[in-house]
Structures are given as structure tokens and as C-alpha cells.
Amino acid sequence: MKRCFSALLLGLLLLRSNMILAGDLDSWNKGPNRQAILDYVKKVTVKGSPSFIPIEDRIAVFDNDGTLWTEKPIPIQARFAVDRVKALAPKHPEWKTQQPFQAVLQNDASYFNRMTETESVKLLAATHLGMTEDEFVTIVGDWFKTARDPHSGELLVHRVYQPLLELLSFLRGHDFKTYIVTGGGTEFVRAVAESAYGIPPEQVIGSSIIMKWEIRDGKSVFLRELKIAEPLNIDAGKPVNIQRIIGRAPVIAVGNSDGDLQMLQYASTNSYPSLNLLVHHDDAAREAAYDEGAEKILKEAKEKKWRVISMKNDFSRIYPGAIRPGG
Amino acid sequence: MKRCFSALLLGLLLLRSNMILAGDLDSWNKGPNRQAILDYVKKVTVKGSPSFIPIEDRIAVFDNDGTLWTEKPIPIQARFAVDRVKALAPKHPEWKTQQPFQAVLQNDASYFNRMTETESVKLLAATHLGMTEDEFVTIVGDWFKTARDPHSGELLVHRVYQPLLELLSFLRGHDFKTYIVTGGGTEFVRAVAESAYGIPPEQVIGSSIIMKWEIRDGKSVFLRELKIAEPLNIDAGKPVNIQRIIGRAPVIAVGNSDGDLQMLQYASTNSYPSLNLLVHHDDAAREAAYDEGAEKILKEAKEKKWRVISMKNDFSRIYPGAIRPGG
């Protein structure tokens, strides 16, 4: 009896933590986009269907920033870099007068847009490199425990889109293998991908550094050094890395910005029927409304009749636990 | 009834094609090495065992050349390059007097050992590059249909080690995820990994080139160009690429040469109990006897008590279908 109660409690906790009911798209409003997803999945997974896709070829790729979690007001990994600079600043008094650190310490958000590539690399090196992989994962994990969205006060790790969590779960329930294919850092995203999305490390493909391996005191360590792996996982780098790492073309691709255009084009050329979804940020009240950086992909989505998902109209809620007024 | 008969026939054909009885290590002679494998797998997979490893962490990595298939008299991918040079030679009369092509056309096997790096790259470029990925996979697949071992006359695709096929199958039957981690080309090995070993493309990690993606006539193509991805998948490159692509440390590592040393070291530092196997080529009668290129790993295996698998004593047969005289 006690065990039953524990199981029930655990079930409720799990339910509360991600609000997913297997197989449901509860936070999607009924309409042509939700229906298109249901129709597509039915069409390609029902045995005997002329559009049937064998399980091993059911590859679904998801961008992360702005597709699975919010990228506003600044991308979550950039926020990590900012917080890290602030945490390390006492040990680096010289940063007070050195860019880009000075701008970060003075909360000059506009500086991010005019940062040179050299400055970006300096910021990356100071906040993401010069440590072992285990140390980095611990730092990132600890940071996520307390890092909060400045506006809502919610934990950043909860700024994931509930309808996309449901879509991931729905697809996995139909034997799709769900991958994150992100311009963000592979190791940064892996640090939370399992708990936030139920996606294991081997299904996270991101921008990478080439680490150095060695044994220290009988333990394997990977040293994070400034050696960026080519290609960066944006634009045409996404298909290239998908091919190299997965070796199969995706049948479902979900993105939100021009950096995802080639990934969606890649899926759309699959010889199997494909489903391309573009998350459109048009909900200023509940999230953010912006087309900047998505002009090309929005244009192509219209031309190619990819599904443009309106966050305002297609999502009954945006974040886990956040119920839309009246919804 | 007819359907039953077809199923039976299919079953027999499948059985014949790889000789695997699930869960058995039939081609391993009884002895301490076979027993060590059985004991290890039992210890880490039986629920409640203090050494239990959760399914998601059951990562088993296998080198390919000399570990899963033969690398004598020359590695299979080198043989492909040789045959490819010969096939293309009529279009390249200049090769008759140009190295390394001249040596290849004159069957000068010894030249392989004194080839410069520039010459190796020339050979790679002429035989593996300058085409699309689909074209390359077709060429490799077609080649494997007829390429034969010069001594036995057997198809090269059958020069895989039966006991290793059984080990792969046995591990998968216990929820291990089996990866090939090879110094050979990712795409070359992927072309046969599924049919030869039951290993899907996303579980093949090899040396890679960075391909270029584009759309041609509405289809995605990946162009194979001379842009070698770092690091090559040998030596310390193996742990580095395992970390980058899988993101988990292996608990089982199987290799045969010094290029696998760091991969086995990596597995041996896993916080879970690990199993390291070294395939030792000591069977001149049935395969080949050589320690060249394996001196370091043989030394370390002895020091660290890794299991050295004697092909002569531990394997009752080497290749599928080939029964040892009297065995």
C-alpha cells in the first residue's frame, strides 16, 4: 500500500514536472497545424500505409534556441556567459577596463550586437574553456539550479516550450528518435537536455570544441581548449553534422530562425514524406514577437508550404505550468 | 501454411548468413576469457547486483580493422583503394609513371609501408573524394559485392570474425549499445556496417571528412572534398570523438592494436566496472600471426590484466561458416 502511494506520488510529481500526457498534444490549440502533425505521424507510422517510414529512419531534428526554449531577451547560453563573467570578475580586476568584459560587467546588453569575433572568442574562452569537461558540466548544472528569467522570475530551465515538450514526447511515442541540433554548445546543452527534454547526450548535436583527452590520477579527463570544431552547427553546418554523426536524413525538422533554414531544406528533400515546422515568435504578450533573423526561413516556409506554427494562435500555453488566462 | 514456410525459410537463411544464435557465444572455446565475458555481463546486468549498470550507460565500443574484420594481408579499405585505382586507371594514363599510383598498378605492396603522407592523401583523394556521398556509398557497396580475399577466395565482407559477431549480438541482447569506433572512414564502414554487423550508421564513428552540403535538382547532396575532420579517429582521437559524439564513457572496449590503446584506457577509467578485450592475432594457420603495431597495447594489457583473446585458443572458428578441422 505504501509502495502504491509512493508510485502515485512519483507519478504526480513527474506529471507536474513536465505536464506531458503521453501521446497528447494538449497545449496545442485545435486547428490545421496541430492536425497536420497528427495526420503526418499517422500517415507515416501506420503499417500498410503507402507513406510508411521504417522505425530506423524516423529521425526528428529540433533546433534549440527559440525552438525548444526561449532565446529572449538573450540566448540562455549567452546569459550563462554573462553570469560566469560576473562570478569570475573578482579574480580578474583587469576586466573592468577590457572589452567585452567591461560591457558585460556594466550590463551593456547592446554591446552583444556589436561585439567583434575576437571579442566573442575571448568571452567564450573566459567562460567555457580552460577547465575539464566534468568541471564545466558541474558549473553549468549548478548554474541552471538557480539561473532565472529576469522578467518572470522563473527558473531558466523551465523556459522550455510546453507544446514542444509534448511534441517530442508524442513523436517518441511513435518511435521517432528525437535529436537536438543546435548552434549552441554541445556540452552546454547536454548538461540539461536529459532533464529538460528527455534527450540523452548522444542525441545532442551542437557546435563543438575539439577537446584534449588525458588520464589524471587514474581518471579520464577531457580538457576544454580553444580549438573549435568545423563546421559550426549553424546554417549548412547543420546538414553536414547530421550526415556525419547520424548518417541518415531527417524526416521531421523543427526550427525557428535562418540558421535552421538548411536543416529544414535537408529534411524537405528526404525521399520519405517529411514534415517541416517553423516556430514563429508572434506572441508579445506571453513570450516575444520578432521576425529578425528569421526573414529568409519565413519566406521559404511560405513558398514551400512548410507549417508555420504561430505561438500566439497554435499554443494554448507556452511554458510548463503557465496557464493562459482563460485558457 | 505458405507463410509459415516462408518464415521458416527466411529464418534458416538468416541463420546461415550470420550463424548467430542469440545469447550464445558458440564459436568461443570454453575457458577463462569466455567465462570472463559471461561473468562480466551477468554482474552488470542483473538487477540488484552491486555492479549493475543502467541500460543507457551500457556503451560498448569496437575497433574494426583487426578487431571485427581481418586487416591482412592489407586493410580492407586499402584494398578498396587499390581496386579503385585499377578501375580508374584507363582514364588516367599519367598514373603509370606517377607515385603512389604506379606502385599500386604494379602490385608493389611494399610501397604502402614507405608511402609519404602526401602520397597517401593523393591516393585518398583519387579513390574516396570528388564525388557525392551517395555515389561513394554505391561504389563501395558494389565493390563489396564482388571483392574477395586473395588467399581464400571468400568475399571480403565475410572476412568478419564469427566470435565477434556473436559477442556483438550477445551484448545487444543484454541491452548494450554497440558502436564501431574505427580509424577507417566513417562512410566506408557505414556502407556495410548494418549488413555485416547489424550496426546502424549512427553507431559508426570513424575518421571523417567534412563534407559540403548543397541541393542539386531538388535533392540534397554531400560533396566529398579533401577536408579531413580533426582529430583522426586513432589513438587519443578515439576517446575525443567518443566523448564528442556519444557523450558517455564506454564500459566495454574491444581493440587489437596500439591505435586502440587510448580507447581501452578510457573504458578502464570508467567509474562503472569495465571490460577490456584485446584481440590477439596468434593464429597463423587460420588467419595471421603478428604483434607488429600492437606492442604497446599488449604490454599494457598484461600490466592492467585486460583480457587478451587468443584467436588460436579462444576461437573455435574464425569466420562465419568456416568450421575448424576437427572442431
PDB file of all heavy atoms in Angstrom, chain A residues 45-72:
ATOM      1  N   THR A  45       3.349   6.214 -39.806  1.00  0.00           N
ATOM      2  CA  THR A  45       3.620   5.178 -38.799  1.00  0.00           C
ATOM      3  C   THR A  45       2.639   4.012 -38.816  1.00  0.00           C
ATOM      4  O   THR A  45       2.898   2.995 -38.178  1.00  0.00           O
ATOM      5  CB  THR A  45       3.643   5.771 -37.367  1.00  0.00           C
ATOM      6  OG1 THR A  45       2.357   6.342 -37.069  1.00  0.00           O
ATOM      7  CG2 THR A  45       4.718   6.829 -37.219  1.00  0.00           C
ATOM      8  N   VAL A  46       1.523   4.167 -39.513  1.00  0.00           N
ATOM      9  CA  VAL A  46       0.555   3.067 -39.548  1.00  0.00           C
ATOM     10  C   VAL A  46       1.005   2.038 -40.578  1.00  0.00           C
ATOM     11  O   VAL A  46       1.213   2.367 -41.746  1.00  0.00           O
ATOM     12  CB  VAL A  46      -0.871   3.582 -39.874  1.00  0.00           C
ATOM     13  CG1 VAL A  46      -1.819   2.408 -40.141  1.00  0.00           C
ATOM     14  CG2 VAL A  46      -1.400   4.429 -38.726  1.00  0.00           C
ATOM     15  N   LYS A  47       1.184   0.814 -40.117  1.00  0.00           N
ATOM     16  CA  LYS A  47       1.645  -0.267 -41.007  1.00  0.00           C
ATOM     17  C   LYS A  47       0.715  -0.410 -42.199  1.00  0.00           C
ATOM     18  O   LYS A  47      -0.505  -0.331 -42.047  1.00  0.00           O
ATOM     19  CB  LYS A  47       1.691  -1.595 -40.239  1.00  0.00           C
ATOM     20  CG  LYS A  47       2.951  -1.766 -39.431  1.00  0.00           C
ATOM     21  CD  LYS A  47       3.763  -2.990 -39.876  1.00  0.00           C
ATOM     22  CE  LYS A  47       5.155  -2.932 -39.248  1.00  0.00           C
ATOM     23  NZ  LYS A  47       6.042  -4.004 -39.665  1.00  0.00           N
ATOM     24  N   GLY A  48       1.291  -0.587 -43.355  1.00  0.00           N
ATOM     25  CA  GLY A  48       0.480  -0.758 -44.546  1.00  0.00           C
ATOM     26  C   GLY A  48       0.189   0.551 -45.257  1.00  0.00           C
ATOM     27  O   GLY A  48      -0.259   0.550 -46.400  1.00  0.00           O
ATOM     28  N   SER A  49       0.453   1.676 -44.578  1.00  0.00           N
ATOM     29  CA  SER A  49       0.268   2.969 -45.229  1.00  0.00           C
ATOM     30  C   SER A  49       1.293   3.113 -46.358  1.00  0.00           C
ATOM     31  O   SER A  49       2.451   2.720 -46.205  1.00  0.00           O
ATOM     32  CB  SER A  49       0.461   4.096 -44.195  1.00  0.00           C
ATOM     33  OG  SER A  49       0.786   5.310 -44.848  1.00  0.00           O
ATOM     34  N   PRO A  50       0.875   3.677 -47.507  1.00  0.00           N
ATOM     35  CA  PRO A  50       1.847   3.846 -48.601  1.00  0.00           C
ATOM     36  C   PRO A  50       2.979   4.814 -48.213  1.00  0.00           C
ATOM     37  O   PRO A  50       4.031   4.815 -48.841  1.00  0.00           O
ATOM     38  CB  PRO A  50       1.001   4.408 -49.752  1.00  0.00           C
ATOM     39  CG  PRO A  50      -0.265   4.892 -49.130  1.00  0.00           C
ATOM     40  CD  PRO A  50      -0.475   4.125 -47.865  1.00  0.00           C
ATOM     41  N   SER A  51       2.751   5.625 -47.186  1.00  0.00           N
ATOM     42  CA  SER A  51       3.783   6.571 -46.752  1.00  0.00           C
ATOM     43  C   SER A  51       4.572   6.067 -45.552  1.00  0.00           C
ATOM     44  O   SER A  51       5.309   6.832 -44.935  1.00  0.00           O
ATOM     45  CB  SER A  51       3.128   7.907 -46.374  1.00  0.00           C
ATOM     46  OG  SER A  51       2.288   8.368 -47.392  1.00  0.00           O
ATOM     47  N   PHE A  52       4.400   4.798 -45.228  1.00  0.00           N
ATOM     48  CA  PHE A  52       5.044   4.240 -44.031  1.00  0.00           C
ATOM     49  C   PHE A  52       6.562   4.461 -44.030  1.00  0.00           C
ATOM     50  O   PHE A  52       7.238   4.268 -45.033  1.00  0.00           O
ATOM     51  CB  PHE A  52       4.756   2.739 -43.958  1.00  0.00           C
ATOM     52  CG  PHE A  52       5.313   2.070 -42.732  1.00  0.00           C
ATOM     53  CD1 PHE A  52       4.682   2.198 -41.509  1.00  0.00           C
ATOM     54  CD2 PHE A  52       6.487   1.324 -42.806  1.00  0.00           C
ATOM     55  CE1 PHE A  52       5.201   1.576 -40.365  1.00  0.00           C
ATOM     56  CE2 PHE A  52       7.012   0.704 -41.671  1.00  0.00           C
ATOM     57  CZ  PHE A  52       6.365   0.831 -40.454  1.00  0.00           C
ATOM     58  N   ILE A  53       7.087   4.877 -42.878  1.00  0.00           N
ATOM     59  CA  ILE A  53       8.538   5.047 -42.715  1.00  0.00           C
ATOM     60  C   ILE A  53       9.032   4.039 -41.674  1.00  0.00           C
ATOM     61  O   ILE A  53       8.533   4.014 -40.554  1.00  0.00           O
ATOM     62  CB  ILE A  53       8.886   6.481 -42.252  1.00  0.00           C
ATOM     63  CG1 ILE A  53       8.372   7.515 -43.271  1.00  0.00           C
ATOM     64  CG2 ILE A  53      10.390   6.637 -42.044  1.00  0.00           C
ATOM     65  CD1 ILE A  53       8.603   8.963 -42.846  1.00  0.00           C
ATOM     66  N   PRO A  54      10.011   3.199 -42.042  1.00  0.00           N
ATOM     67  CA  PRO A  54      10.534   2.233 -41.063  1.00  0.00           C
ATOM     68  C   PRO A  54      11.079   2.971 -39.830  1.00  0.00           C
ATOM     69  O   PRO A  54      11.575   4.099 -39.945  1.00  0.00           O
ATOM     70  CB  PRO A  54      11.679   1.546 -41.820  1.00  0.00           C
ATOM     71  CG  PRO A  54      11.459   1.850 -43.261  1.00  0.00           C
ATOM     72  CD  PRO A  54      10.704   3.134 -43.330  1.00  0.00           C
ATOM     73  N   ILE A  55      10.997   2.314 -38.694  1.00  0.00           N
ATOM     74  CA  ILE A  55      11.366   2.958 -37.428  1.00  0.00           C
ATOM     75  C   ILE A  55      12.772   3.568 -37.475  1.00  0.00           C
ATOM     76  O   ILE A  55      12.989   4.688 -37.024  1.00  0.00           O
ATOM     77  CB  ILE A  55      11.241   1.950 -36.263  1.00  0.00           C
ATOM     78  CG1 ILE A  55       9.754   1.689 -35.989  1.00  0.00           C
ATOM     79  CG2 ILE A  55      11.925   2.463 -35.002  1.00  0.00           C
ATOM     80  CD1 ILE A  55       9.466   0.667 -34.910  1.00  0.00           C
ATOM     81  N   GLU A  56      13.733   2.835 -38.063  1.00  0.00           N
ATOM     82  CA  GLU A  56      15.113   3.321 -38.017  1.00  0.00           C
ATOM     83  C   GLU A  56      15.306   4.626 -38.796  1.00  0.00           C
ATOM     84  O   GLU A  56      16.278   5.349 -38.580  1.00  0.00           O
ATOM     85  CB  GLU A  56      16.101   2.252 -38.509  1.00  0.00           C
ATOM     86  CG  GLU A  56      15.897   1.789 -39.950  1.00  0.00           C
ATOM     87  CD  GLU A  56      14.937   0.618 -40.073  1.00  0.00           C
ATOM     88  OE1 GLU A  56      14.102   0.420 -39.155  1.00  0.00           O
ATOM     89  OE2 GLU A  56      15.018  -0.098 -41.088  1.00  0.00           O
ATOM     90  N   ASP A  57      14.383   4.926 -39.695  1.00  0.00           N
ATOM     91  CA  ASP A  57      14.503   6.164 -40.470  1.00  0.00           C
ATOM     92  C   ASP A  57      13.652   7.307 -39.919  1.00  0.00           C
ATOM     93  O   ASP A  57      13.551   8.369 -40.525  1.00  0.00           O
ATOM     94  CB  ASP A  57      14.137   5.895 -41.937  1.00  0.00           C
ATOM     95  CG  ASP A  57      15.223   5.102 -42.650  1.00  0.00           C
ATOM     96  OD1 ASP A  57      16.412   5.330 -42.354  1.00  0.00           O
ATOM     97  OD2 ASP A  57      14.881   4.243 -43.483  1.00  0.00           O
ATOM     98  N   ARG A  58      13.032   7.073 -38.773  1.00  0.00           N
ATOM     99  CA  ARG A  58      12.205   8.133 -38.177  1.00  0.00           C
ATOM    100  C   ARG A  58      13.079   9.073 -37.342  1.00  0.00           C
ATOM    101  O   ARG A  58      13.105   9.020 -36.120  1.00  0.00           O
ATOM    102  CB  ARG A  58      11.087   7.527 -37.318  1.00  0.00           C
ATOM    103  CG  ARG A  58      10.073   6.772 -38.168  1.00  0.00           C
ATOM    104  CD  ARG A  58       8.929   6.253 -37.325  1.00  0.00           C
ATOM    105  NE  ARG A  58       8.249   5.179 -38.050  1.00  0.00           N
ATOM    106  CZ  ARG A  58       7.436   4.299 -37.491  1.00  0.00           C
ATOM    107  NH1 ARG A  58       7.173   4.366 -36.194  1.00  0.00           N
ATOM    108  NH2 ARG A  58       6.879   3.343 -38.223  1.00  0.00           N
ATOM    109  N   ILE A  59      13.791   9.922 -38.046  1.00  0.00           N
ATOM    110  CA  ILE A  59      14.719  10.859 -37.406  1.00  0.00           C
ATOM    111  C   ILE A  59      14.061  12.242 -37.371  1.00  0.00           C
ATOM    112  O   ILE A  59      13.694  12.781 -38.413  1.00  0.00           O
ATOM    113  CB  ILE A  59      16.044  10.940 -38.197  1.00  0.00           C
ATOM    114  CG1 ILE A  59      16.697   9.555 -38.354  1.00  0.00           C
ATOM    115  CG2 ILE A  59      17.010  11.936 -37.544  1.00  0.00           C
ATOM    116  CD1 ILE A  59      17.212   8.944 -37.089  1.00  0.00           C
ATOM    117  N   ALA A  60      13.919  12.772 -36.159  1.00  0.00           N
ATOM    118  CA  ALA A  60      13.329  14.104 -35.990  1.00  0.00           C
ATOM    119  C   ALA A  60      14.364  15.017 -35.346  1.00  0.00           C
ATOM    120  O   ALA A  60      14.914  14.688 -34.294  1.00  0.00           O
ATOM    121  CB  ALA A  60      12.085  14.024 -35.112  1.00  0.00           C
ATOM    122  N   VAL A  61      14.651  16.139 -36.003  1.00  0.00           N
ATOM    123  CA  VAL A  61      15.687  17.053 -35.501  1.00  0.00           C
ATOM    124  C   VAL A  61      15.059  18.376 -35.074  1.00  0.00           C
ATOM    125  O   VAL A  61      14.207  18.933 -35.762  1.00  0.00           O
ATOM    126  CB  VAL A  61      16.796  17.288 -36.558  1.00  0.00           C
ATOM    127  CG1 VAL A  61      17.602  16.012 -36.772  1.00  0.00           C
ATOM    128  CG2 VAL A  61      16.232  17.784 -37.880  1.00  0.00           C
ATOM    129  N   PHE A  62      15.489  18.848 -33.936  1.00  0.00           N
ATOM    130  CA  PHE A  62      14.961  20.078 -33.353  1.00  0.00           C
ATOM    131  C   PHE A  62      16.089  21.049 -33.079  1.00  0.00           C
ATOM    132  O   PHE A  62      17.051  20.710 -32.385  1.00  0.00           O
ATOM    133  CB  PHE A  62      14.263  19.777 -32.012  1.00  0.00           C
ATOM    134  CG  PHE A  62      12.960  19.050 -32.138  1.00  0.00           C
ATOM    135  CD1 PHE A  62      12.935  17.690 -32.394  1.00  0.00           C
ATOM    136  CD2 PHE A  62      11.754  19.732 -32.004  1.00  0.00           C
ATOM    137  CE1 PHE A  62      11.725  17.007 -32.521  1.00  0.00           C
ATOM    138  CE2 PHE A  62      10.541  19.056 -32.126  1.00  0.00           C
ATOM    139  CZ  PHE A  62      10.527  17.695 -32.382  1.00  0.00           C
ATOM    140  N   ASP A  63      15.964  22.259 -33.594  1.00  0.00           N
ATOM    141  CA  ASP A  63      16.809  23.340 -33.115  1.00  0.00           C
ATOM    142  C   ASP A  63      16.470  23.568 -31.639  1.00  0.00           C
ATOM    143  O   ASP A  63      15.425  23.109 -31.159  1.00  0.00           O
ATOM    144  CB  ASP A  63      16.527  24.596 -33.947  1.00  0.00           C
ATOM    145  CG  ASP A  63      17.204  25.811 -33.364  1.00  0.00           C
ATOM    146  OD1 ASP A  63      18.446  25.772 -33.200  1.00  0.00           O
ATOM    147  OD2 ASP A  63      16.499  26.793 -33.042  1.00  0.00           O
ATOM    148  N   ASN A  64      17.319  24.298 -30.928  1.00  0.00           N
ATOM    149  CA  ASN A  64      17.055  24.513 -29.500  1.00  0.00           C
ATOM    150  C   ASN A  64      16.667  25.966 -29.172  1.00  0.00           C
ATOM    151  O   ASN A  64      15.542  26.237 -28.781  1.00  0.00           O
ATOM    152  CB  ASN A  64      18.274  24.069 -28.685  1.00  0.00           C
ATOM    153  CG  ASN A  64      18.000  24.044 -27.194  1.00  0.00           C
ATOM    154  OD1 ASN A  64      16.880  23.748 -26.774  1.00  0.00           O
ATOM    155  ND2 ASN A  64      18.996  24.358 -26.388  1.00  0.00           N
ATOM    156  N   ASP A  65      17.582  26.926 -29.398  1.00  0.00           N
ATOM    157  CA  ASP A  65      17.302  28.319 -29.017  1.00  0.00           C
ATOM    158  C   ASP A  65      16.157  28.892 -29.848  1.00  0.00           C
ATOM    159  O   ASP A  65      16.267  29.027 -31.064  1.00  0.00           O
ATOM    160  CB  ASP A  65      18.556  29.191 -29.219  1.00  0.00           C
ATOM    161  CG  ASP A  65      19.660  28.829 -28.246  1.00  0.00           C
ATOM    162  OD1 ASP A  65      19.415  28.879 -27.028  1.00  0.00           O
ATOM    163  OD2 ASP A  65      20.770  28.477 -28.706  1.00  0.00           O
ATOM    164  N   GLY A  66      15.068  29.241 -29.187  1.00  0.00           N
ATOM    165  CA  GLY A  66      13.917  29.801 -29.877  1.00  0.00           C
ATOM    166  C   GLY A  66      13.003  28.741 -30.469  1.00  0.00           C
ATOM    167  O   GLY A  66      11.949  29.058 -31.011  1.00  0.00           O
ATOM    168  N   THR A  67      13.424  27.475 -30.386  1.00  0.00           N
ATOM    169  CA  THR A  67      12.586  26.373 -30.883  1.00  0.00           C
ATOM    170  C   THR A  67      12.103  25.510 -29.721  1.00  0.00           C
ATOM    171  O   THR A  67      10.922  25.210 -29.615  1.00  0.00           O
ATOM    172  CB  THR A  67      13.360  25.506 -31.903  1.00  0.00           C
ATOM    173  OG1 THR A  67      13.691  26.321 -33.026  1.00  0.00           O
ATOM    174  CG2 THR A  67      12.528  24.325 -32.378  1.00  0.00           C
ATOM    175  N   LEU A  68      13.041  25.115 -28.844  1.00  0.00           N
ATOM    176  CA  LEU A  68      12.633  24.321 -27.673  1.00  0.00           C
ATOM    177  C   LEU A  68      12.611  25.165 -26.402  1.00  0.00           C
ATOM    178  O   LEU A  68      11.846  24.906 -25.497  1.00  0.00           O
ATOM    179  CB  LEU A  68      13.573  23.126 -27.484  1.00  0.00           C
ATOM    180  CG  LEU A  68      13.526  22.026 -28.555  1.00  0.00           C
ATOM    181  CD1 LEU A  68      14.548  20.935 -28.237  1.00  0.00           C
ATOM    182  CD2 LEU A  68      12.136  21.427 -28.675  1.00  0.00           C
ATOM    183  N   TRP A  69      13.520  26.142 -26.328  1.00  0.00           N
ATOM    184  CA  TRP A  69      13.486  27.060 -25.183  1.00  0.00           C
ATOM    185  C   TRP A  69      13.670  28.479 -25.672  1.00  0.00           C
ATOM    186  O   TRP A  69      14.103  28.710 -26.795  1.00  0.00           O
ATOM    187  CB  TRP A  69      14.468  26.673 -24.071  1.00  0.00           C
ATOM    188  CG  TRP A  69      15.955  26.815 -24.324  1.00  0.00           C
ATOM    189  CD1 TRP A  69      16.594  27.572 -25.268  1.00  0.00           C
ATOM    190  CD2 TRP A  69      17.003  26.180 -23.568  1.00  0.00           C
ATOM    191  NE1 TRP A  69      17.954  27.437 -25.153  1.00  0.00           N
ATOM    192  CE2 TRP A  69      18.230  26.596 -24.108  1.00  0.00           C
ATOM    193  CE3 TRP A  69      17.010  25.306 -22.466  1.00  0.00           C
ATOM    194  CZ2 TRP A  69      19.461  26.155 -23.602  1.00  0.00           C
ATOM    195  CZ3 TRP A  69      18.248  24.884 -21.972  1.00  0.00           C
ATOM    196  CH2 TRP A  69      19.448  25.303 -22.539  1.00  0.00           C
ATOM    197  N   THR A  70      13.322  29.410 -24.825  1.00  0.00           N
ATOM    198  CA  THR A  70      13.320  30.802 -25.232  1.00  0.00           C
ATOM    199  C   THR A  70      14.742  31.325 -25.482  1.00  0.00           C
ATOM    200  O   THR A  70      15.704  30.828 -24.889  1.00  0.00           O
ATOM    201  CB  THR A  70      12.617  31.686 -24.177  1.00  0.00           C
ATOM    202  OG1 THR A  70      12.388  32.975 -24.725  1.00  0.00           O
ATOM    203  CG2 THR A  70      13.451  31.806 -22.912  1.00  0.00           C
ATOM    204  N   GLU A  71      14.855  32.291 -26.370  1.00  0.00           N
ATOM    205  CA  GLU A  71      16.162  32.913 -26.623  1.00  0.00           C
ATOM    206  C   GLU A  71      16.101  34.412 -26.321  1.00  0.00           C
ATOM    207  O   GLU A  71      16.995  35.165 -26.724  1.00  0.00           O
ATOM    208  CB  GLU A  71      16.612  32.664 -28.065  1.00  0.00           C
ATOM    209  CG  GLU A  71      15.657  33.199 -29.115  1.00  0.00           C
ATOM    210  CD  GLU A  71      16.095  32.875 -30.551  1.00  0.00           C
ATOM    211  OE1 GLU A  71      17.198  32.361 -30.766  1.00  0.00           O
ATOM    212  OE2 GLU A  71      15.295  33.144 -31.463  1.00  0.00           O
ATOM    213  N   LYS A  72      15.018  34.824 -25.624  1.00  0.00           N
ATOM    214  CA  LYS A  72      14.855  36.241 -25.321  1.00  0.00           C
ATOM    215  C   LYS A  72      14.840  36.450 -23.815  1.00  0.00           C
ATOM    216  O   LYS A  72      14.340  35.591 -23.091  1.00  0.00           O
ATOM    217  CB  LYS A  72      13.552  36.767 -25.946  1.00  0.00           C
ATOM    218  CG  LYS A  72      13.558  36.789 -27.454  1.00  0.00           C
ATOM    219  CD  LYS A  72      14.541  37.800 -27.987  1.00  0.00           C
ATOM    220  CE  LYS A  72      14.636  37.710 -29.513  1.00  0.00           C
ATOM    221  NZ  LYS A  72      15.650  38.599 -30.094  1.00  0.00           N
TER     222      LYS A  72
END
